[in-house]
Amino acid sequence: MERFTRSQFPDTPFLFFTGKGGVGKTSVASSLSIAIAGEGKKVLLISTDPASNLQDIFGQTLSNTPTKIEGVDNLFALNLDPEQAAQHYKEQMVGPYREKLPEVVLQNMEEQLSGACTVEIAAFNEFAKLLTDRSVIENFDTIVFDTAPTGHTLRLLQLPSAWSTFLDDNTTGTSCLGPLKGLEPQREIYKEAVERLKSADQTALMLVTRPDVNPLKETARASNELFEIGIQNQILLVNGYMKDLNSNDEMEKAFIARQIKALELIPKELKQFEQYYLPFVPYSLSSMERMQAWMTDQDITHENEIEKGMTIPEVEEMIADYLERKPKIIFTMSKGGVGKTTVASYIALRLAEEGMHVHLTTTDPAAHLNWTFGDDKIKNVTVSRIDPKSEVANYEAEVLAKASETMNEEGLAFVQEDLASPCTEEIAVFRAFANVVENHKDEIIIIDTAPTGHTLLLLDATEAYHREISRSQGEIPLAVSNLLPRLRDANYTSVAIVTLPEATPVFEATRLQQDLQRAGLSVNWWVVNQTFSSIETTSPTLIQKQQAETKWFEEIKSFSNNQFVAIPWVKTPPVGTKGLHELKGEKNK
């Protein structure tokens, strides 16, 4: 695999970056933009991340119109807030019905329009305006988007226009109806924007990932979904690859060995694309100087960002709390790619070793429990897996059977596409999880995927809606009705948010916490996974990494109200009883 350098820069006028939170999309997009602008091309960098650190990187305030970046000729930046855009859409849709429809109906409509689906479509609406705005296109040589739409959003926006009649006349209660209906008048703009995305001469999709097994698998799934839509000009960028400099440090050697092993297992879907790497750097890419140095392999003076001597609590503190409080349900939650399945497995193992009976269940197809437990049989632990695909299929069959009683073929086709929504999958999985809870009443239940606040509020709103207005679709099963109030009982349910000691994962964890609090759930613990601060190393690079982490520990301490623990990075993947015990937090040598 070659180093990503200037000679590999795509020359298409539009560049989209995709990848899970924490892989470095914004850093790569910003560095690339600075480099292109440095060659005299006029560049517009567009961020749609609500927690974007573009303003910190460039040290100036940005807005939703292009702003000249001081100190870099030819570079402009623009910060879109998709959540603000989604809020605007929601009001556009709900506003005309205020004081005309019952409050419970308005509540249902508002929650339908509060999910990730709405935010994503609202963001694409902003993308589409820029992709088709002649004054923008003709004014810049290169336009860089630091995130890309998903395949689901693009499929929705390409629904046959004949279905617009259906959207006007029907209320299905499905998750993407509202946002799609609100965007209907701009169908021609989306058509042009999607065609531009599909054109290999116009657009390059940059798949940003890390040299680790699960991020590579997640990247392959996102790549495949967009490839099938027709966005096939893709380039793989492996960010954070550490070159072997023949160090004698055991931790550094182990770190490099894990990366090499992961890259040997790179999914076949990604092998067809050009592949490049960007080097691991121990410092935060939080300034133009650092990004320029990173892109050109220059050494920079790294100042100690932290005060030494910070005490980092070990994960066993959280286990002791669970043993004392004995919550009935424990969720481990994160945005993905930070190790929530491993953390859930560790909690299950330790509680079982202390004599408690535990049922561990997962929905994660990338890191299922057979992987974390290996061939070991753990006393007092039962495991199960909720298969999102089969649960969605069951849910889809149920909804379509009821919808077919009243809808024509056109309407049913729309409902079928809508059921592919991530929001719909979350509801289907939650229904399956409620059944697991009903069937394991005598055990502590640990699940590695928690519902979002949006899902809970949507179920709440739908339940209230159905209580007061009789409808024939989407009834709330008894198991779900029983579970909803228990999730808000802090004595019954405990939530642990899993994150990494890095900028984007911490910001995403903060948003997750806010989302859960909106739904009435309290977060009891934050778990900082894969920290280098708990290891002993002589590697200058890893020592700098330890120093850089402390800033994020301080942030986590504040966000979690000092309710956090940490798990160290370990030399080998934590598989089986022995591997999981390595996470205990004893000084890792």
Side-chain angles (χ1 to χ4, degrees), residues 5 32 51 104 178 205-206 232 267 282 341 349 399 411 435 467 480 518:
T5 62
L32 193 59
V104 67
L205 181 72
M206 314 294 282
Q232 299 181 352
T341 301
L349 173 68
V399 171
N435 289 330
R467 260 200 315 270
V480 174
R518 189 173 72 93

Side-chain angles (χ1 to χ4, degrees), residues 519-531:
L521 271 71
S522 56
V523 174
N524 304 96
W525 289 99
W526 281 48
V527 181
V528 186
N529 196 24
Q530 298 180 16
T531 174

